[in-house]
Amino acid sequence: MIISYAGHSPVIDTDAWVAPDATVCGDVAIGAGSRIMHGARLVAEAGGSIRIGRNCIVLENAVIRATARHPCTIGNHCIVGPNSHVVGAEVADEVFIATGAAVFHGAHIERGSEVRINGTVHLRTHLEPGTVVPIGWIAVGDPTQILPPDQHEASWSRQKPLDFPGFVYGVDRSLPDVMQKITGSLSAALDVHRTESV
């Protein structure tokens, strides 16, 4: 489903293909030879943009999102695996993002890197060229530290200063009712989808 809203329509190269049950919404550009498979969701929120390069494969049920504060770019010859999630990140050429992986706002993944099954690249994290995030491990920070999933405290000590609520939503984590503030502003921003047309 190709969806326009807020004055933005997807631009899909004539040599690309989007499955009929995939969603491509807003300011999204898809390059030649790219394939957006069944159930994938590419959503550029108002003011945000998604750029998919040439010969990229976005597999089943993957989600790629962008916001006004965090555009998303996928380079050439990349694979975004089934059930993976990439939001507001910059992904260079020839990157493999495996099944179930998550890549967060402000992350930079350099050429030839791999985020293996259920791996995570946390916000504001920079992977150097050719970096591998092992199955289920977490990459966090710049310079990056790659930690196994059983080292939550070590991971959190690096994640907390990256300030997810502040960086992503502009909300101070220490304020009372932080979730009310986040969901209230997010609800207002997402209301623009009422103007969608297919």
Side-chain angles (χ1 to χ4, degrees):
M1 184 178 313
I2 310 303
I3 300 173
S4 300
Y5 80 101
H8 293 285
S9 298
V11 176
I12 301 168
D13 189 277
T14 56
D15 189 43
W17 180 78
V18 175
D21 62 340
T23 300
V24 180
C25 179
D27 185 4
V28 179
I30 300 173
S34 289
R35 307 293 182 245
I36 311 303
M37 300 308 293
H38 299 279
R41 307 289 183 233
L42 283 64
V43 179
E45 298 299 345
S49 64
I50 296 173
R51 300 294 177 256
I52 306 291
R54 297 183 319 277
N55 297 313
C56 288
I57 311 301
V58 179
L59 289 165
E60 291 79 7
N61 302 313
V63 174
I64 299 174
R65 295 188 72 248
T67 67
R69 295 177 66 181
H70 304 284
C72 192
T73 303
I74 309 288
N76 301 318
H77 306 285
C78 293
I79 294 176
V80 179
N83 300 308
S84 59
H85 178 242
V86 180
V87 59
E90 186 175 318
V91 177
D93 296 344
E94 300 174 27
V95 168
F96 176 58
I97 298 171
T99 300
V103 179
F104 287 95
H105 308 74
H108 293 268
I109 300 179
E110 299 293 348
R111 183 185 187 105
S113 293
E114 296 181 25
V115 183
R116 295 189 174 157
I117 296 169
N118 295 326
T120 299
V121 179
H122 215 286
L123 75 154
R124 303 166 79 177
T125 294
H126 185 172
L127 297 187
E128 295 294 332
T131 299
V132 173
V133 178
I135 293 171
W137 286 43
I138 301 163
V140 60
D142 185 8
T144 302
Q145 188 171 3
I146 301 175
L147 298 163
D150 64 349
Q151 291 189 16
H152 177 265
E153 291 307 316
S155 178
W156 180 243
S157 71
R158 293 189 53 88
Q159 287 176 29
K160 186 175 181 181
L162 298 177
D163 186 21
F164 188 91
F167 186 71
V168 174
Y169 300 112
V171 175
D172 183 344
R173 171 193 311 267
S174 67
L175 294 176
D177 305 322
V178 68
M179 287 304 295
Q180 291 179 29
K181 289 175 176 50
I182 290 171
T183 57
S185 65
L186 193 54
S187 175
L190 294 175
D191 191 54
V192 72
H193 285 283
R194 291 177 190 259
T195 66
E196 288 180 349
S197 61
V198 179

